[in-house]
Amino acid sequence: MDSWLQKQGLDAYGNPEGSMYAGGTPLFNERTGEQIDRLDFIFKNKPEVRQACASDASAE
């Protein structure tokens, strides 16, 4: 998945390279104290990643 994100010009969270995050990560909500799994975050915001990665895995 990381390779696919990089090829698309996206950061480790599926957002455009160079994106800035309060607290250093979009995975932690400072107001609620909740944290989300990185894969869940990416798949929620970029569902096409799941399919692209599944296609890559089946090609191997």
Side-chain angles (χ1 to χ4, degrees):
M1 174 177 14
D2 291 322
S3 175
W4 186 90
L5 291 170
Q6 188 176 27
K7 288 176 186 175
Q8 304 305 311
L10 303 173
D11 66 13
Y13 307 107
N15 295 314
E17 282 289 340
S19 293
M20 305 283 268
Y21 306 104
T25 175
L27 304 179
F28 182 71
N29 184 327
E30 293 181 3
R31 283 182 263 156
T32 65
E34 293 178 320
Q35 187 157 344
I36 186 172
D37 180 75
R38 182 174 83 104
L39 295 179
D40 291 339
F41 179 84
I42 293 170
F43 292 153
K44 177 183 174 192
N45 294 305
K46 296 271 191 232
E48 66 273 19
V49 174
R50 183 185 306 264
Q51 185 172 355
C53 292
S55 296
D56 288 348
S58 65
E60 293 178 1

